[in-house]
Amino acid sequence: MKISGSKALMEALLNEGVDTIFGYPGGSIIPVFDALYDYMDKFHYVLTRHEQGATHAAQGYARIKGKPGVCIVTSGPGATNTITGIADAMLDSTPLVVITGQVNDTMLGTDAFQETDLIGITLPISKWSYQIRDPKEIAFAVAKAFYIAGSGRPGPVVLDITKNAQSEHVDFTPAKCDFIRSYLPNRSIDQYAVTKAAELINSAKKPMALVGHGVTIGEAEQELMAFLDKADIPAAWTIMGESAMPTDYRLNKGMVGMHGNIAPNIKTNECDVLIAIGMRFADRVTGDLKRYAPNAKVIHFEIDPAEINKNVKCEVALLGNVKNTLPAVTSLIKQNNHKDWIDSFAQYQAKENDNVISKELNPKPDEPLKMGEVVRAISNATEGNAILVTDVGQNQMAALRYFQFKQKRSVVTSGGAGTMGFGIPAAIGAKIAAPVRTVCLFCGDGGFQMTMQELGTIIQEKTGVKIILLNNNYLGMVRQQQELFFSKRYSSTPMLNPDFCAVAKAYGIATSHVTQRDELSSAINDMLKDDNPYLLVVEIDENGLVLPMVPPGKGNDEIIV
């Protein structure tokens, strides 16, 4: 029996194990949504309030679930509204399948109503973009899309489906894709590189590891700690690598990069062997490349060959999934002891604690509430078991610095793109992916207002996310740089904000407003004991800074305390 292309799409998605779809309908995708109507018992469909929200929600879902997130939107502005999410997913290696409607194939190139060249737009920011003009292509195109999105270094793919391909009929047979000529997502282990890496590690006096998102993507958390334990190597994490190690793990030395901890930033420039594990040496991690790790021989565990020697030259490259390459090296390294080297981190940890952390977590009674103390209070109340979602800005850096973790896959943040407005929709996706876990979203007043329409999605889905709005009435991160580097010229950063609690109440979401320190504990308890969505607005220090900080373009040893 022949079926419509739209129904073929539904069957192809089922064949890929899809259970959740985020999206927003429109004219050029109506046939697909009409077919979806008959599949509501098979898919959890989430109607977001904006197409960008659909992509970020799908990202949050993918990051927690560990499989591609799916969103379906219409053509024209519906499709172009997904661009930010696609770019974000590409930079952060998040598997995403974005399906967009398109005008009839006979109208392509005529500037028809809501026609845009989405393939041309998305080619540079996706792993694969393809336009389906015939329903006969649907089965294999979908299979290929999911294979590309989820294999190797994950990322977003785009399927642009013309309206005629949605409506015309086809003899449908599900397809499977596990091989594409010239695309090699899985590589055999280079035994010579394994041996050379083990030799460098065994001879190192001051080895150090940097843990990135690749560990979480590869589900290699246990392999990582087996490697670190055996070689006795201190490790730090990028913001995308947080929660790959428990916070209290003995070799976890904190965050590296612009707002990272002093000790790992300084020690990066002192180590003699630097072991990068599933990370790409982004500029926010390295600072000035000319001054980065000058004493180190670099070993790079990486799945994407394009990242090898791109920013930092390495002595040894180990291509492949770290779940496979790490154990290969672990089997050849010696049981070691680097006590003196590890102990040398302590003086910098003490310096940061005295100059920054203690003041942030234990401010004087007459001082305004601090970002860090709010984050740590909620972290303690959730006993390190919550999923942390952040928006972007000071709220993000404070949350990443002061939230603590016991479980893996516990952080969802926008790293490479730094997308304000990411938080609310990403938290929705994360909560749908892990409904039994507490999801805490930290956002600022600026980012909250970029996607606050997704509060409508929250109430429609009854998604019990906990939103903590750290309100300083500024675009805080920009203000911080204006204060430190632009003579306190606060151009376009003060914010005249609405009554956020009134906004939440308009959506039927429970809320509370904290202005004083003695109100915080009870407000947190009220939020966490409520199974429903909740907005906690906390008025924080307008002049607060996230420190330490490596100034843009400077070396990591030029950190401001």
Side-chain angles (χ1 to χ4, degrees), residues 532-551:
N532 297 306
Y534 202 100
L535 173 66
L536 174 61
V537 180
V538 184
E539 301 296 330
I540 57 167
D541 186 358
E542 289 189 356
N543 301 309
L545 302 176
V546 181
L547 296 173
M549 180 182 184
V550 178

Side-chain angles (χ1 to χ4, degrees), residues 286-324:
T286 65
D288 181 6
L289 282 169
K290 294 178 182 178
R291 302 183 57 182
Y292 184 72
N295 303 310
K297 293 181 178 179
V298 177
I299 300 169
H300 198 172
F301 289 82
E302 175 58 47
I303 200 166
D304 184 358
E307 295 296 339
I308 300 298
N309 295 321
K310 185 177 83 174
N311 294 327
V312 173
K313 301 298 181 183
C314 66
E315 189 83 9
V316 182
L318 290 118
L319 282 171
N321 190 323
V322 294
K323 193 172 184 67
N324 302 320

Side-chain angles (χ1 to χ4, degrees), residues 3-150:
I3 60 175
S4 69
S6 295
K7 188 171 182 180
L9 176 62
M10 296 297 106
E11 292 293 334
L13 294 176
L14 285 176
N15 190 53
E16 294 297 331
V18 173
D19 54 25
T20 303
I21 299 171
F22 304 88
Y24 202 95
S28 290
I29 199 71
I30 283 178
V32 168
F33 278 84
D34 184 64
L36 179 62
Y37 189 84
D38 294 326
Y39 285 78
M40 288 300 190
D41 60 334
K42 296 180 174 64
F43 297 116
H44 177 190
Y45 173 72
V46 180
L47 174 64
T48 59
R49 297 306 187 262
H50 192 282
E51 293 87 357
Q52 181 179 342
T55 58
H56 293 329
Q59 285 178 272
Y61 174 90
R63 295 269 288 277
I64 295 302
K65 203 75 169 178
K67 70 177 189 177
V70 178
C71 57
I72 302 177
V73 302
T74 194
S75 65
T80 58
N81 281 344
T82 68
I83 300 304
T84 298
I86 294 168
D88 193 293
M90 188 68 174
L91 283 165
D92 286 348
S93 306
T94 303
L96 198 64
V97 176
V98 177
I99 299 169
T100 61
Q102 185 55 274
V103 300
N104 285 321
D105 63 349
T106 57
M107 301 175 70
L108 290 170
T110 68
D111 292 331
F113 178 67
Q114 293 192 337
E115 179 194 0
T116 56
D117 179 9
L118 192 68
I119 302 304
I121 294 170
T122 58
L123 274 172
I125 57 169
S126 64
K127 284 189 74 177
W128 184 54
S129 293
Y130 185 72
Q131 188 173 77
I132 298 173
R133 303 183 185 184
D134 189 314
K136 294 176 183 177
E137 300 177 290
I138 288 174
F140 190 70
V142 170
K144 185 175 179 179
F146 276 84
Y147 175 59
I148 292 173

Side-chain angles (χ1 to χ4, degrees), residues 427-473:
I428 294 169
K431 183 64 176 177
I432 289 172
V436 300
R437 294 186 67 184
T438 300
V439 174
C440 293
L441 162 66
F442 287 86
C443 56
D445 42 312
F448 180 87
Q449 291 179 83
M450 285 193 171
T451 52
M452 68 181 182
Q453 71 274 5
E454 298 305 335
L455 296 177
T457 308
I458 287 176
I459 59 168
Q460 185 159 338
E461 290 293 318
K462 299 180 175 63
T463 311
V465 297
K466 311 304 177 189
I467 304 172
I468 302 93
L469 197 165
L470 302 176
N471 184 27
N472 60 5
N473 298 297

Side-chain angles (χ1 to χ4, degrees), residues 207-465:
M208 183 173 164
L210 299 182
V211 177
H213 193 198
V215 173
T216 297
I217 292 171
E219 299 182 339
E221 293 87 354
Q222 293 303 315
E223 289 80 1
L224 169 69
M225 285 188 281
F227 168 78
L228 298 174
D229 283 335
K230 187 175 182 181
D232 201 31
I233 297 175
W237 39 269
T238 69
I239 67 169
M240 299 299 294
E242 189 171 12
S243 84
M245 302 177 285
T247 304
D248 62 0
Y249 175 51
R250 70 179 185 90
L251 294 171
N252 186 344
K253 298 303 177 184
M255 181 169 74
V256 290
M258 179 173 279
H259 291 283
N261 297 106
I262 297 174
N265 273 331
I266 295 292
K267 291 298 179 178
T268 298
N269 281 16
E270 293 182 13
C271 70
D272 58 1
V273 173
L274 185 63
I275 306 153
I277 306 172
M279 53 86 71
R280 58 186 180 88
F281 290 112
D283 62 294
R284 283 299 196 262
V285 168
T286 65
D288 181 6
L289 282 169
K290 294 178 182 178
R291 302 183 57 182
Y292 184 72
N295 303 310
K297 293 181 178 179
V298 177
I299 300 169
H300 198 172
F301 289 82
E302 175 58 47
I303 200 166
D304 184 358
E307 295 296 339
I308 300 298
N309 295 321
K310 185 177 83 174
N311 294 327
V312 173
K313 301 298 181 183
C314 66
E315 189 83 9
V316 182
L318 290 118
L319 282 171
N321 190 323
V322 294
K323 193 172 184 67
N324 302 320
T325 53
L326 269 174
V329 174
T330 303
S331 67
L332 296 183
I333 58 177
K334 299 174 183 175
Q335 193 80 38
N336 218 325
N337 185 317
H338 292 289
K339 183 179 185 303
D340 291 344
W341 166 241
I342 293 169
D343 288 347
S344 71
F345 283 68
Q347 62 174 313
Y348 297 104
Q349 292 170 321
K351 179 181 179 181
E352 183 172 350
N353 186 68
D354 292 343
N355 288 280
V356 179
I357 296 174
S358 62
K359 295 177 182 179
E360 186 75 11
L361 298 184
N362 301 291
K364 296 176 182 177
D366 60 343
E367 290 183 320
L369 279 159
K370 305 291 187 182
M371 290 175 279
E373 70 172 308
V374 177
V375 172
R376 182 59 60 84
I378 294 170
S379 177
N380 289 342
T382 56
E383 299 179 340
N385 291 311
I387 292 172
L388 169 68
V389 182
T390 82
D391 206 87
V392 167
Q394 286 183 316
N395 61 89
Q396 176 188 33
M397 292 301 135
L400 293 168
R401 282 178 56 83
Y402 295 108
F403 215 82
Q404 298 181 316
F405 303 94
K406 294 179 181 177
Q407 298 186 47
K408 62 184 181 179
R409 283 197 184 273
S410 291
V411 178
V412 179
T413 193
S414 173
T419 303
M420 289 181 68
F422 175 85
I424 297 176
I428 294 169
K431 183 64 176 177
I432 289 172
V436 300
R437 294 186 67 184
T438 300
V439 174
C440 293
L441 162 66
F442 287 86
C443 56
D445 42 312
F448 180 87
Q449 291 179 83
M450 285 193 171
T451 52
M452 68 181 182
Q453 71 274 5
E454 298 305 335
L455 296 177
T457 308
I458 287 176
I459 59 168
Q460 185 159 338
E461 290 293 318
K462 299 180 175 63
T463 311
V465 297

